[in-house]
């Protein structure tokens, strides 16, 4: 496994944890008027600046570019779960 693979896997775990926590605490909600790209950007900003997520997000940014991190976030979020809530 390459260091990039290890960094991606470690970052994926953090992002999954962030998504679960944000969903549980109702920080994120979907409505049909949302633009998906803007939704991901807003969720990323929440992870960057909210005290509950900031430390883990900075850890991700030590491993990946912000663009790669947002792509990973987009890959990991389950919109069908959000639409059902």
């Amino acid at each position: 496994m390459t260091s990039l693979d290890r960094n991606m896997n470690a970052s994926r775990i953090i992002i999954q944890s962030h998504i679960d926590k944000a969903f549980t605490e109702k920080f994120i909600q979907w409505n049909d008027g949302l633009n998906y790209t803007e939704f991901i950007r807003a969720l990323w900003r929440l992870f960057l600046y909210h005290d509950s997520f900031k430390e883990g997000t900075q850890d991700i940014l030590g491993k990946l570019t912000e663009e790669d991190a947002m792509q990973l976030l987009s890959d990991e979020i389950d919109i069908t779960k959000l639409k059902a809530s």
Side-chain angles (χ1 to χ4, degrees), residues 8-73:
M8 286 294 269
N9 288 338
S11 297
R12 180 178 274 95
I13 291 167
I14 295 168
I15 284 177
Q16 289 169 342
S17 173
H18 280 7
I19 290 169
D20 289 345
K21 182 175 182 159
F23 184 74
T24 300
E25 295 187 16
K26 300 200 185 312
F27 286 127
I28 55 176
Q29 296 177 348
W30 179 263
N31 72 56
D32 288 331
L34 286 176
N35 172 290
Y36 182 75
T37 302
E38 291 303 316
F39 171 75
I40 293 298
R41 286 184 183 140
L43 185 54
W44 180 250
R45 283 191 304 272
L46 171 74
F47 291 167
L48 274 174
Y49 299 114
H50 193 281
D51 288 340
S52 296
F53 307 104
K54 195 183 302 185
E55 185 177 330
T57 304
Q58 290 305 313
D59 187 36
I60 292 169
L61 289 174
K63 295 174 178 22
L64 304 176
T65 66
E66 187 169 46
E67 183 177 310
D68 287 341
M70 287 199 317
Q71 180 61 53
L72 191 58
L73 172 59

